[in-house]
Structure formats: C-alpha cells, structure tokens
Amino acid sequence: MQFVFVSGNAALDLLGTLKWRRSAPEEGLAAPGDAARWAVEAGLLSDPPASDADDLDRLLVLREATYRLVHGALAGDDPAAADLRTLNQAAAGPPAALTLTARGAQRAGDLDAAAAEVARAAVTLLGEMYGESPPRVRECERAACTRLFVDRSRGGTRSWCGMSECGNRVKAREYRARKAARQDGA
C-alpha cells in the first residue's frame, strides 16, 4: 500500500491507514514493517525503527481510539474515558530525539516515539475541536472514502481528502453523468 498524507495532521494521516472503513476495509499497517515505513514517510522518524507485533498493536489501538475521539468530537459527543486514557498515555511517552547531523535534522526513536508524536498531534487537534474556534475537520465526500482531513481552504469548501484519489474520480463521474444526460436529451 502506498501511504497518502493529505489530511493536514499526523493523527488524521494515521487514521487514513485504514481505508474504506464502511465498505471493504483495507489495512495499510498489516505488519510491523509497514508501521515503521509509515513513521518514516510521515516524517516522524528519519530511519525505520525495529518493531514487532506488540509495537504495531499499540499503534493500531491508538489509531482506533483517535478515530472514535475525532468522530465523537465531530458529532458533539463526550469522549469515552477509555479512548482518552489511550490517547493521553501515548501522548505522555517520550518523543523522537531531534538532533542535527551532517545529513541535516534527524529524528531518532522507536515506534512508540512516533506514536507519541501522533498522539500529541491528536491531543492538539481534539483540544481545538472542543474549543471556541474549532478547525474545520471534515470527512471526504466521496461516498466510499472515510478519510478525515483539516480543511484549510480559503473558503472552507474543500470536499475531498485529495484530488488524486477522490476528487478526480468524483469529477470524472460527474462529467460522464453530464455527458450522458446531454446525449439522452439530444
């Protein structure tokens, strides 16, 4: 699976590693190596950490707790205590160590350090969502897609998680429907 980073927040990008949640879920983090590769591609770590099934399980538990918390915040629901505990516990972990080397800035740590970075991003986002001026967190409007993103567009009208996967497909479908309607009316 190719990872996509279109959500505008590391925590929301982690949520996107489980695609098509309502129809045919596609797991992007099926093995510990997938999670290590995601952490590097997300910019949380510079090199893939050694990881095992327990590391992956903890990351997936964090992902699902975060998913429920974000959806609950969007619905105006109170957060579940168990999900808050999971998120806060991960956020309290040690972050990746940031050092400057001849190669530039390097982020070193294990998968738990990457999870701590994600959890901190989730805490910040959720804190804003429950605040006075919440960020515009949306779910992609493509029917099958369940990716969440922060809408930072000028008018606040972003509809799709990204143009390459969802936006282009929706626009192409709408174009074909308009073309078919014109042909039927002719």
Side-chain angles (χ1 to χ4, degrees), residues 163-183:
M163 283 303 292
S164 64
E165 189 163 358
C166 291
N168 285 339
R169 291 179 186 193
V170 170
K171 287 184 173 209
R173 186 180 64 238
E174 289 171 353
Y175 170 77
R176 287 190 301 273
R178 283 193 309 272
K179 185 175 178 182
R182 281 193 307 268
Q183 288 174 347

Side-chain angles (χ1 to χ4, degrees), residues 6-178:
V6 295
S7 297
N9 178 282
L12 297 181
D13 283 328
L14 178 63
L15 302 184
T17 61
L18 180 60
K19 295 169 56 174
W20 326 119
R21 287 174 179 264
R22 287 187 294 270
S23 54
E26 182 181 317
E27 179 60 74
L29 303 178
D34 297 332
R37 189 170 53 88
W38 180 86
V40 171
E41 289 183 27
L44 302 172
L45 300 173
S46 298
D47 296 306
S51 56
D52 60 23
D54 290 337
D55 296 326
L56 176 60
D57 288 343
R58 284 190 303 277
L59 187 63
L60 295 179
V61 166
L62 172 63
R63 180 186 70 187
E64 296 311 304
T66 303
Y67 183 80
R68 289 186 297 272
L69 287 166
V70 171
H71 264 276
L74 288 171
D77 298 337
D78 289 332
D83 291 337
L84 286 176
R85 215 173 10 263
T86 297
L87 180 62
N88 288 328
Q89 197 169 39
L98 183 62
T99 58
L100 182 61
T101 69
R103 291 177 30 201
Q106 298 294 301
R107 294 177 166 277
D110 57 12
L111 204 52
D112 287 336
E117 300 284 349
V118 168
R120 287 182 184 89
V123 167
T124 300
L125 179 69
L126 286 158
E128 292 171 356
M129 289 177 75
Y130 283 109
E132 293 297 316
S133 55
R136 296 180 294 228
V137 175
R138 307 220 193 294
E139 186 173 70
C140 183
E141 290 184 13
R142 182 174 169 210
C145 187
T146 56
R147 189 179 303 276
L148 296 161
F149 61 90
V150 178
D151 179 1
R152 292 191 176 100
S153 65
R154 185 181 307 173
T157 58
R158 183 173 159 194
S159 301
W160 308 294
C161 59
M163 283 303 292
S164 64
E165 189 163 358
C166 291
N168 285 339
R169 291 179 186 193
V170 170
K171 287 184 173 209
R173 186 180 64 238
E174 289 171 353
Y175 170 77
R176 287 190 301 273
R178 283 193 309 272

